[in-house]
Amino acid sequence: MSGRNGQLARCLMERAASRDGIELVSMGRPELDLLRRETLLPALEKVQPDLVVSAAAYTAVDKAESEPGLVFATNCDGAGALASAAARMGVGVVHISSDYVFAGDNGKPYDEGDPAAPLGEYGRSKYAGELAVKAANPKHVILRTAWAHSPYGSNFIRTMLKLAGSRGTIDVVADRFGSPTSMLDVADAILHLAGRLDDDHWGLYHLTCRGSTSWAGLARHVFAASRAVGGPWAEVRDISGDDYKAAAPRPVASVLNSNLFERRFSWAMPSWQESATEVTRRIASEMVDMPVS
């Protein structure tokens, strides 16, 4: 697995620790570096994996607008090179992509067959990465997920709780919609599919928690869940995406339909509310040094 310090990698390590029969090896720089192709095959040969999870990525959406060369070198060229190295060893790759490959103007949840139309450099690099992985390795599962959060690293939930420690009211975008998804749930899904892959299962899938909300809706849910366990909370004031003044454009509504994944792999994702509550309680308990019951 690449990207050992990222949210998904850390969630995979947590979830794999409680499962028998799974040996998960987490790798990153310098031994496995997407920007240094010569490191990739030797790193895989060292561990002899049965499956490669390609979780490393450039994820700074706004900064990507000023660093297109670096974001494409990582998310496209690097991802394709890792998939190629896996193919040379005869093993499949699970590659993580994003809802940002879509423009967000579909008017309904996106299916896998809907045309990609990314708005910014990050989204364009992720879509290019999908194509590179597909071309490099016929044994691929490309998972598009969205609005990632977890108990680890930097993410929206942690940011909201940190801000609530010093502010009574927080401005949050209320007119951008998606499916908040816990990387703990994505990790569970990947571990589930790992032993079920064959020629009928390779391909492109959407994988998010069920349901959708706005960023403001997610923030309100987070603060209610945190307040219930004595954690930080604040009032939310709705603002528009135009007021946020971000460097990169965001899709207005990038809700993904995960029915194909759930049907092919006999797997049901939880609701975004259930997952966001779990993550919020873990982060809040860490902040106030209280146990989670």
Side-chain angles (χ1 to χ4, degrees):
M1 172 182 59
S2 67
R4 65 181 167 204
N5 294 319
Q7 292 189 81
L8 177 56
R10 295 172 72 179
C11 288
L12 276 165
M13 293 299 290
E14 174 185 320
R15 295 306 212 207
S18 62
R19 294 180 181 237
D20 294 331
I22 294 178
E23 181 182 358
L24 186 65
V25 179
S26 182
M27 305 187 77
R29 292 177 291 185
E31 68 267 26
L32 188 151
D33 187 342
L34 296 186
L35 298 179
R36 297 172 58 233
R37 295 188 183 189
E38 69 275 12
T39 68
L40 303 181
L41 185 58
L44 297 187
E45 288 176 335
K46 181 179 179 180
V47 299
Q48 293 293 309
D50 297 309
L51 182 69
V52 173
V53 179
S54 176
Y58 182 117
T59 59
V61 175
D62 289 320
K63 195 175 180 182
E65 294 298 302
S66 61
E67 295 184 332
L70 180 57
V71 71
F72 270 82
T74 305
N75 292 348
C76 175
D77 301 337
L82 181 60
S84 178
R88 289 180 63 181
M89 297 188 64
V91 301
V93 60
V94 176
H95 175 70
I96 309 303
S97 191
S98 168
D99 60 322
Y100 276 44
V101 303
F102 294 115
D105 57 0
N106 201 38
K108 63 181 181 64
Y110 283 94
D111 295 321
E112 288 81 354
D114 289 324
L119 299 176
E121 296 294 340
Y122 170 73
R124 284 189 281 271
S125 75
K126 292 302 287 183
Y127 183 56
E130 293 182 6
L131 299 179
V133 168
K134 182 178 179 180
N137 193 336
K139 294 181 177 181
H140 63 266
V141 170
I142 297 169
L143 298 178
R144 290 174 178 157
T145 191
W147 291 29
H149 60 79
S150 76
Y152 304 108
S154 298
N155 56 71
F156 180 84
I157 292 180
R158 186 176 294 276
T159 297
M160 288 296 103
L161 294 178
K162 282 184 176 179
L163 290 175
S166 59
R167 302 184 191 179
T169 302
I170 300 173
D171 294 344
V172 187
V173 172
D175 58 358
R176 300 292 187 271
F177 302 90
S179 300
T181 302
S182 169
M183 292 301 98
L184 292 169
D185 297 318
V186 173
D188 286 337
I190 291 172
L191 294 173
H192 172 78
L193 71 82
R196 294 165 173 79
L197 288 173
D198 55 34
D199 290 342
D200 293 328
H201 291 91
W202 304 115
L204 168 68
Y205 300 93
H206 293 171
L207 183 65
T208 64
C209 287
R210 293 173 177 263
S212 62
T213 188
S214 66
W215 289 112
L218 175 56
R220 288 190 172 93
H221 182 87
V222 165
F223 291 142
S226 178
R227 188 178 186 181
V229 294
W233 64 278
E235 299 292 339
V236 174
R237 181 165 52 213
D238 292 354
I239 63 171
S240 74
D242 293 337
D243 293 333
Y244 184 60
K245 306 296 184 185
R250 264 73 168 174
V252 171
S254 55
V255 181
L256 304 181
N257 182 346
S258 300
N259 289 344
L260 178 62
F261 182 94
E262 295 189 357
R263 185 169 65 250
R264 287 269 180 90
F265 292 100
S266 300
W267 182 262
M269 292 290 279
S271 70
W272 72 261
Q273 295 96 327
E274 178 183 350
S275 294
T277 297
E278 177 190 359
V279 170
T280 299
R281 294 187 69 205
R282 285 183 58 172
I283 296 174
S285 68
E286 165 192 315
M287 289 181 166
V288 299
D289 193 26
M290 60 182 291
V292 178
S293 60

